[in-house]
Structure formats: C-alpha cells, structure tokens
Amino acid sequence: MLHWGYDEHNGPAHWKEVFPVANGDRQSPIDIKTEETKYDPSLRPLNPNYDPASAKIILNNGHSTSVEFDDTVNKSVLTGGPLSGTYRLRQIHFHWGSNDEAGSEHAVDGMKYAAELHVVHWNSEKYSSFVEAARQSDGLAVMAVFLQIGECNPQLNKITDRLDTIRIKGKRALFTNFDPSCLLPKSLDYWTYFGSLTVPPLLESVIWIVLREPISVCSEQSAFVRLTAMRMDLGLTFWFKIPASQRQDIVQLAKFRSLLSTAEDEVACCLLRNYRPPQPLKGREVRRN
C-alpha cells in the first residue's frame, strides 16, 4: 500500500491510487477566483471562542506539525459564519513549501501564499466524535489562514520555539495555555465552500472557511538556513553554533522546513513541502460574507 507523502513517488499525484475519492466532486484545496465568488447576505460573522486551557500537545506526525486540543467537551468552539450549530476545536496544523513562492494549499486568483494554517473543528451537536463527524457531509469545519512573508509574528513564535523538541517524526511534547485566536487576522471576513480534507483519506466532509486577510510570517534571512533545510547533516551543526537569541530572529518558516518526515531509525529527510495543489471546482459555488 502507498505510504502517502509529498515526494515524487508518493505525492498528491499518486493519492488516487489508494484513495479514489481524490477524483471526487468536492475536493480541496481550490483556486478561489474572487470575481466569481457570490456575496451571500445570510452569512453571519464568525465567532471563535477558544479556551487556552484546552491545548494539550504539539506533535510531528511526519506530514505536518500540529497542536492538539481537548475536544471531549465544548471548551473551545467555533460558531457563526456558514455553520449551523457548534463545531468543537480538534487541532491546528500548518502547510508550507520549500521556498516562499508557494506553500499555501488554497490559491487566490492563481496566487499562492508562503504557508497556510488550518484550524480544524468537528460538528459536536450532531455527531459523537471527530471520527464519526469526518465521514459526514457537514461533519467538519476548517478555518484557513494565509501566511504571507513580512515581519516576524510574535504569536507564531509560541509554536516555532517548540519545534526543536519535535523535529523527528513521531515526537510530541506538552503544549498548554495556547489560544489559537492569537494567530487569526484582525478581519474575519471569509470565503466559504463545501470541500474535503486536503490529506488522505481526503474525505468530502469539510465546510471550508478561508479568511481573506493573511497574517505575517518571516522567512529565511541568511544563507545558512537554506542549508539547514537542504542538508540536515551540515545544517544542524551550523544551527547549534548560533546563539539561541539570534536563532529566533533568523527563522520562522525555516523552522517548519527543518522538521523531519522521517523517524529516528530512518535516514533523515526534511519536510520541505507539504501542500496539495488546487483541485477542480466542478461546479461548486464559493460564497463570501
């Protein structure tokens, strides 16, 4: 069976070999053509209400880095927008590229951003668990936030400062007292459409809420950072010779690129990119508030 990933031999072009739904009618991500979106006056403002105490762990699953939240009760929820009822926060994770030109999954009028944050929720009013909800057409709600190159984001440092502890696939660490609202832009205006998970099993169960305003992130600011990402054996040597006070100023996106998609007993391989290209719209409507 295909061990899916983002390399040439197991990347998105091959996922349909094991997951036929990859060719389905509501696959994600998409290229949002702004002139073709439809204004819908019935769409309400978004209302994220997150409890920092619900954050539990940060982990590297080999495909991305994610922060997991306690979703046993309605501590952290998303309501409003295109949603009917309450959607409970499950996790946040990131997608990025090997350079700053592309890394987001969604595109806007053909333009890709450097990275993309996904805030994943499930319909806790209708379903008893995330696993059950993920198989229903209205089971999940994912809020997407674009990251564009600019000033370093001090809120994002709360995550990137911990990435050294989970660099190897399978590693996890405690991660508490974190409110993902700190990573949202000032404006919560959005586009919305019906889509799917962007990673296998690609289930068509997601109500997508793509925020129109990006947040900033800083990228590599010295040549050695690119070496860290491309040559792990040399990069780590150079990295730890640099004072910790300087490392934070040098990287944000580069720290994501230095994560490993391999476990301790495997040859080290950096996760330089982890995004799926835009999929055909196939007649779906993209609405905006």
Side-chain angles (χ1 to χ4, degrees), residues 30-63:
I30 62 169
D31 181 4
I32 298 170
K33 301 183 184 303
T34 56
E35 292 298 320
E36 297 176 9
T37 62
K38 179 182 178 181
Y39 171 67
D40 186 345
S42 71
L43 289 172
R44 298 166 295 159
L46 288 171
N47 182 29
N49 186 8
Y50 303 139
D51 179 359
S54 64
K56 298 190 304 181
I57 61 170
I58 186 170
L59 63 90
N60 174 357
N61 62 16
H63 304 300

Short mmCIF file of all heavy atoms in Angstrom, two decimals, residues 30-63:
data_model
loop_
_atom_site.label_atom_id
_atom_site.label_comp_id
_atom_site.label_asym_id
_atom_site.label_seq_id
_atom_site.Cartn_x
_atom_site.Cartn_y
_atom_site.Cartn_z
N ILE A 30 -8.78 24.59 -3.40
CA ILE A 30 -9.19 25.13 -4.69
C ILE A 30 -8.49 26.47 -4.93
O ILE A 30 -7.91 27.05 -4.01
CB ILE A 30 -10.72 25.33 -4.77
CG1 ILE A 30 -11.17 26.34 -3.72
CG2 ILE A 30 -11.46 24.00 -4.66
CD1 ILE A 30 -12.62 26.80 -3.88
N ASP A 31 -8.56 26.93 -6.16
CA ASP A 31 -8.14 28.28 -6.50
C ASP A 31 -9.40 29.15 -6.43
O ASP A 31 -10.34 28.96 -7.20
CB ASP A 31 -7.54 28.31 -7.91
CG ASP A 31 -7.04 29.69 -8.32
OD1 ASP A 31 -7.10 30.62 -7.49
OD2 ASP A 31 -6.62 29.84 -9.48
N ILE A 32 -9.42 30.10 -5.50
CA ILE A 32 -10.57 30.97 -5.32
C ILE A 32 -10.49 32.12 -6.30
O ILE A 32 -9.59 32.96 -6.20
CB ILE A 32 -10.65 31.49 -3.87
CG1 ILE A 32 -10.81 30.32 -2.90
CG2 ILE A 32 -11.79 32.49 -3.71
CD1 ILE A 32 -10.65 30.70 -1.44
N LYS A 33 -11.39 32.14 -7.26
CA LYS A 33 -11.43 33.23 -8.24
C LYS A 33 -12.39 34.29 -7.69
O LYS A 33 -13.60 34.11 -7.70
CB LYS A 33 -11.87 32.70 -9.60
CG LYS A 33 -10.91 31.62 -10.14
CD LYS A 33 -11.30 31.16 -11.51
CE LYS A 33 -10.42 30.01 -11.99
NZ LYS A 33 -9.00 30.34 -11.99
N THR A 34 -11.82 35.37 -7.21
CA THR A 34 -12.59 36.33 -6.41
C THR A 34 -13.76 36.93 -7.18
O THR A 34 -14.83 37.18 -6.60
CB THR A 34 -11.68 37.45 -5.89
OG1 THR A 34 -11.01 38.08 -6.99
CG2 THR A 34 -10.63 36.88 -4.95
N GLU A 35 -13.60 37.16 -8.48
CA GLU A 35 -14.68 37.76 -9.26
C GLU A 35 -15.85 36.80 -9.46
O GLU A 35 -16.96 37.23 -9.79
CB GLU A 35 -14.16 38.22 -10.63
CG GLU A 35 -13.18 39.39 -10.55
CD GLU A 35 -13.83 40.64 -9.96
OE1 GLU A 35 -15.00 40.92 -10.30
OE2 GLU A 35 -13.17 41.34 -9.17
N GLU A 36 -15.61 35.52 -9.25
CA GLU A 36 -16.67 34.53 -9.43
C GLU A 36 -17.33 34.12 -8.11
O GLU A 36 -18.26 33.32 -8.11
CB GLU A 36 -16.10 33.29 -10.14
CG GLU A 36 -15.59 33.59 -11.54
CD GLU A 36 -14.95 32.38 -12.20
OE1 GLU A 36 -15.04 31.26 -11.63
OE2 GLU A 36 -14.33 32.56 -13.28
N THR A 37 -16.83 34.65 -6.98
CA THR A 37 -17.46 34.34 -5.70
C THR A 37 -18.79 35.08 -5.59
O THR A 37 -18.98 36.13 -6.22
CB THR A 37 -16.56 34.71 -4.52
OG1 THR A 37 -16.31 36.12 -4.54
CG2 THR A 37 -15.23 33.97 -4.60
N LYS A 38 -19.69 34.55 -4.80
CA LYS A 38 -21.04 35.11 -4.67
C LYS A 38 -21.23 35.70 -3.28
O LYS A 38 -21.05 35.00 -2.28
CB LYS A 38 -22.09 34.03 -4.93
CG LYS A 38 -23.53 34.53 -4.79
CD LYS A 38 -24.51 33.40 -5.02
CE LYS A 38 -25.94 33.90 -4.83
NZ LYS A 38 -26.94 32.80 -5.01
N TYR A 39 -21.59 36.97 -3.21
CA TYR A 39 -21.91 37.59 -1.93
C TYR A 39 -23.21 37.00 -1.40
O TYR A 39 -24.22 36.93 -2.11
CB TYR A 39 -22.06 39.10 -2.07
CG TYR A 39 -22.60 39.77 -0.83
CD1 TYR A 39 -21.85 39.80 0.35
CD2 TYR A 39 -23.86 40.36 -0.82
CE1 TYR A 39 -22.34 40.39 1.50
CE2 TYR A 39 -24.37 40.96 0.32
CZ TYR A 39 -23.61 40.97 1.47
OH TYR A 39 -24.10 41.55 2.61
N ASP A 40 -23.19 36.56 -0.15
CA ASP A 40 -24.36 35.94 0.48
C ASP A 40 -24.68 36.70 1.76
O ASP A 40 -23.99 36.55 2.77
CB ASP A 40 -24.08 34.46 0.78
CG ASP A 40 -25.31 33.74 1.30
OD1 ASP A 40 -26.28 34.41 1.70
OD2 ASP A 40 -25.29 32.49 1.34
N PRO A 41 -25.72 37.54 1.75
CA PRO A 41 -26.04 38.34 2.93
C PRO A 41 -26.49 37.52 4.13
O PRO A 41 -26.53 38.04 5.25
CB PRO A 41 -27.16 39.26 2.44
CG PRO A 41 -27.78 38.53 1.28
CD PRO A 41 -26.65 37.78 0.64
N SER A 42 -26.79 36.25 3.91
CA SER A 42 -27.23 35.40 5.04
C SER A 42 -26.05 34.87 5.86
O SER A 42 -26.25 34.35 6.95
CB SER A 42 -28.05 34.22 4.52
OG SER A 42 -27.24 33.28 3.83
N LEU A 43 -24.84 35.01 5.34
CA LEU A 43 -23.67 34.53 6.06
C LEU A 43 -23.41 35.43 7.27
O LEU A 43 -23.33 36.65 7.14
CB LEU A 43 -22.45 34.50 5.15
CG LEU A 43 -22.45 33.43 4.06
CD1 LEU A 43 -21.29 33.63 3.11
CD2 LEU A 43 -22.42 32.02 4.66
N ARG A 44 -23.24 34.81 8.42
CA ARG A 44 -23.07 35.56 9.67
C ARG A 44 -21.59 35.76 9.99
O ARG A 44 -20.73 35.08 9.44
CB ARG A 44 -23.74 34.78 10.81
CG ARG A 44 -25.24 34.60 10.65
CD ARG A 44 -25.77 33.56 11.61
NE ARG A 44 -25.21 32.23 11.32
CZ ARG A 44 -25.17 31.24 12.19
NH1 ARG A 44 -25.60 31.40 13.41
NH2 ARG A 44 -24.66 30.07 11.82
N PRO A 45 -21.29 36.66 10.92
CA PRO A 45 -19.90 36.79 11.38
C PRO A 45 -19.44 35.50 12.06
O PRO A 45 -20.24 34.78 12.67
CB PRO A 45 -19.97 37.94 12.38
CG PRO A 45 -21.21 38.70 12.04
CD PRO A 45 -22.17 37.67 11.52
N LEU A 46 -18.15 35.24 11.97
CA LEU A 46 -17.57 34.09 12.67
C LEU A 46 -17.43 34.40 14.15
O LEU A 46 -17.15 35.53 14.54
CB LEU A 46 -16.19 33.76 12.09
CG LEU A 46 -16.16 33.13 10.70
CD1 LEU A 46 -14.72 33.08 10.19
CD2 LEU A 46 -16.78 31.74 10.71
N ASN A 47 -17.57 33.36 14.96
CA ASN A 47 -17.44 33.54 16.41
C ASN A 47 -16.56 32.43 16.99
O ASN A 47 -17.06 31.46 17.56
CB ASN A 47 -18.81 33.54 17.08
CG ASN A 47 -18.72 33.77 18.57
OD1 ASN A 47 -17.79 34.44 19.05
ND2 ASN A 47 -19.67 33.22 19.32
N PRO A 48 -15.23 32.56 16.88
CA PRO A 48 -14.35 31.59 17.54
C PRO A 48 -14.25 31.91 19.02
O PRO A 48 -14.07 33.07 19.41
CB PRO A 48 -13.00 31.80 16.83
CG PRO A 48 -13.05 33.21 16.32
CD PRO A 48 -14.50 33.55 16.07
N ASN A 49 -14.40 30.89 19.85
CA ASN A 49 -14.34 31.06 21.30
C ASN A 49 -13.50 29.93 21.87
O ASN A 49 -14.00 28.83 22.11
CB ASN A 49 -15.75 31.05 21.89
CG ASN A 49 -15.76 31.36 23.38
OD1 ASN A 49 -14.73 31.73 23.95
ND2 ASN A 49 -16.91 31.18 24.01
N TYR A 50 -12.21 30.20 22.05
CA TYR A 50 -11.27 29.16 22.41
C TYR A 50 -10.74 29.35 23.83
O TYR A 50 -10.40 30.46 24.24
CB TYR A 50 -10.08 29.14 21.44
CG TYR A 50 -10.47 28.96 20.00
CD1 TYR A 50 -9.85 29.69 18.98
CD2 TYR A 50 -11.46 28.05 19.63
CE1 TYR A 50 -10.19 29.51 17.65
CE2 TYR A 50 -11.81 27.87 18.29
CZ TYR A 50 -11.18 28.61 17.31
OH TYR A 50 -11.52 28.43 15.99
N ASP A 51 -10.66 28.25 24.57
CA ASP A 51 -10.12 28.24 25.93
C ASP A 51 -8.65 27.80 25.87
O ASP A 51 -8.37 26.67 25.48
CB ASP A 51 -10.93 27.28 26.80
CG ASP A 51 -10.42 27.19 28.23
OD1 ASP A 51 -9.42 27.85 28.55
OD2 ASP A 51 -11.03 26.44 29.02
N PRO A 52 -7.70 28.66 26.24
CA PRO A 52 -6.28 28.28 26.18
C PRO A 52 -5.97 27.01 26.97
O PRO A 52 -5.03 26.29 26.63
CB PRO A 52 -5.56 29.49 26.78
CG PRO A 52 -6.51 30.63 26.60
CD PRO A 52 -7.88 30.05 26.71
N ALA A 53 -6.77 26.72 27.99
CA ALA A 53 -6.52 25.53 28.82
C ALA A 53 -6.81 24.23 28.07
O ALA A 53 -6.43 23.15 28.54
CB ALA A 53 -7.35 25.59 30.09
N SER A 54 -7.46 24.32 26.91
CA SER A 54 -7.78 23.08 26.18
C SER A 54 -6.62 22.59 25.32
O SER A 54 -6.65 21.47 24.81
CB SER A 54 -9.02 23.29 25.30
OG SER A 54 -8.78 24.24 24.29
N ALA A 55 -5.58 23.41 25.13
CA ALA A 55 -4.40 22.96 24.39
C ALA A 55 -3.69 21.85 25.17
O ALA A 55 -3.55 21.94 26.39
CB ALA A 55 -3.45 24.12 24.13
N LYS A 56 -3.26 20.80 24.46
CA LYS A 56 -2.66 19.64 25.14
C LYS A 56 -1.23 19.36 24.72
O LYS A 56 -0.32 19.36 25.53
CB LYS A 56 -3.51 18.39 24.88
CG LYS A 56 -4.92 18.46 25.41
CD LYS A 56 -5.60 17.09 25.34
CE LYS A 56 -5.60 16.52 23.93
NZ LYS A 56 -6.26 15.20 23.84
N ILE A 57 -1.03 19.09 23.43
CA ILE A 57 0.29 18.66 22.96
C ILE A 57 0.61 19.27 21.60
O ILE A 57 -0.30 19.68 20.86
CB ILE A 57 0.41 17.13 22.85
CG1 ILE A 57 -0.60 16.57 21.84
CG2 ILE A 57 0.26 16.46 24.20
CD1 ILE A 57 -0.38 15.12 21.49
N ILE A 58 1.89 19.31 21.28
CA ILE A 58 2.35 19.64 19.94
C ILE A 58 3.09 18.42 19.42
O ILE A 58 3.80 17.74 20.18
CB ILE A 58 3.25 20.89 19.95
CG1 ILE A 58 3.59 21.32 18.52
CG2 ILE A 58 4.51 20.68 20.78
CD1 ILE A 58 4.27 22.69 18.45
N LEU A 59 2.89 18.08 18.14
CA LEU A 59 3.49 16.85 17.62
C LEU A 59 3.90 17.00 16.17
O LEU A 59 3.42 17.87 15.45
CB LEU A 59 2.53 15.67 17.80
CG LEU A 59 1.19 15.71 17.07
CD1 LEU A 59 1.31 15.07 15.68
CD2 LEU A 59 0.12 14.95 17.86
N ASN A 60 4.79 16.11 15.76
CA ASN A 60 5.24 15.98 14.38
C ASN A 60 4.79 14.60 13.91
O ASN A 60 5.31 13.58 14.36
CB ASN A 60 6.77 16.10 14.31
CG ASN A 60 7.33 15.83 12.92
OD1 ASN A 60 6.60 15.50 11.99
ND2 ASN A 60 8.64 15.96 12.78
N ASN A 61 3.81 14.58 12.99
CA ASN A 61 3.31 13.29 12.51
C ASN A 61 3.97 12.85 11.20
O ASN A 61 3.54 11.87 10.58
CB ASN A 61 1.79 13.32 12.35
CG ASN A 61 1.32 14.35 11.33
OD1 ASN A 61 2.10 14.84 10.51
ND2 ASN A 61 0.04 14.69 11.37
N GLY A 62 5.00 13.58 10.78
CA GLY A 62 5.70 13.24 9.55
C GLY A 62 5.13 13.91 8.33
O GLY A 62 5.77 13.93 7.27
N HIS A 63 3.92 14.47 8.45
CA HIS A 63 3.28 15.18 7.36
C HIS A 63 3.09 16.66 7.66
O HIS A 63 2.94 17.47 6.74
CB HIS A 63 1.92 14.56 7.04
CG HIS A 63 1.97 13.10 6.72
ND1 HIS A 63 2.69 12.59 5.67
CD2 HIS A 63 1.40 12.03 7.33
CE1 HIS A 63 2.56 11.27 5.63
NE2 HIS A 63 1.78 10.91 6.63
#
